[in-house]
Amino acid sequence: MEKIAMLGGGSWATALTKILSENGSRVHWWMRSKDDVQHLLRTRHNPRYLSSVAHDLSRVLPTTDLDEAVREADWLVLAVPAAFVQSTLDKLGRDELKNKRVISAIKGMIPGKNVLVTDYVAERFRLPHTRLGVVAGPCHAEEVALEKQSYLTIGSPDADLAEEFSRLLRNRYVKANPAEDLDGIEYCAVMKNIIALTGGIAHGLGYGDNFQAVLVSNAVQEMRRFVHALNPQPRDLSASAYLGDLLVTAYSQFSRNRTFGSMVGRGYSVKSAQLEMNMVAEGYYAVKSIYELNRKLQVSMPITSAAYHILYEKISPAIEIELLKEKFK
């Protein structure tokens, strides 16, 4: 029985805990909230996210003790919002992950540092990238809860690690496959949230499916330029780990980034949209990280720039999307 520390109490942490525990792994599930842990122990349900999922408490062990959860585990799965990764992991000693394999299920970057989660973990805990991996979609936690057919890709430079974690996830409704492109998959997972958010803004302004299709096709080109500038290597961006993840985030009713963007397009302030959603839209933070990272690269990124101008420079969404549409073909 594999022992896994799951860090985070949100939808994705809940969905992954369901998959892993039902496949036979023991999941030491760390959450910040004592009330949520107590509710889980009483009822077997997460009170805040995917509350329809009943967890088997013989395999799922909720706790607020981070050291205990990590100490018992062979694998560490990170599923906290990117903005809280540093404050969470800084509670651990630098050697506490020495013999563990770490999987990031986070679709964001470390704010302020503008680095990928796996790069931060590698530096903070002196881990080689061969002990790290990332989970990519296309997959929404809500559909996992409903046991709808889903697909995952596990990216890692270590083929054995990627295959082993893929095996832990496979079941009758989840297909998981390994891939070696850790950086490309992780950067594209960050960028697809920016695209979904910008598409949401356009939707909130009244733009239709025709514009959305053009935005997404231009987004693929933008992602290709940016990722190639950072990490040039052969990669097929039409694969499900890249294009599939982008499409499901850009179009799905479950996409919190699209929802957040749509609210901004309809006139909500960033703060009011965040408060009403009561969920983290990773794209908001990703926009700033990718935009600042691109100041050195100087890659043509009109979609990311438009989102940055709207969210951080308070340019009118209507004006900015009007300017953006003239750059598309």
Side-chain angles (χ1 to χ4, degrees), residues 66-83:
L66 182 62
D67 287 316
E68 177 188 3
V70 172
R71 184 172 59 249
E72 296 292 329
D74 306 306
W75 299 82
L76 181 69
V77 179
L78 302 174
V80 297

Side-chain angles (χ1 to χ4, degrees), residues 221-223 225-226 294 297-303 305:
Q221 300 171 47
E222 184 164 318
M223 290 166 65
R225 290 191 296 268
F226 182 73
N294 193 46
L297 298 172
Q298 291 296 300
V299 174
S300 174
M301 300 183 70
I303 299 172
S305 296

Side-chain angles (χ1 to χ4, degrees), residues 144-156:
V144 170
L146 296 169
E147 300 190 354
K148 291 184 177 291
Q149 185 63 56
S150 300
Y151 294 79
L152 294 171
T153 301
I154 309 304
S156 175

Side-chain angles (χ1 to χ4, degrees), residues 12 16 75 102-105 132-137 151-170 174-182 185 241:
W12 200 210
L16 289 171
W75 299 82
V102 181
I103 303 293
S104 173
L132 303 173
V134 62
V135 179
Y151 294 79
L152 294 171
T153 301
I154 309 304
S156 175
D158 186 297
D160 291 337
L161 180 150
E163 171 56 33
E164 190 169 347
F165 199 74
S166 295
R167 179 180 56 79
L168 296 178
L169 293 168
R170 292 181 187 125
V174 175
K175 293 186 181 296
N177 295 296
E180 295 183 5
D181 183 21
L182 177 65
I185 289 172

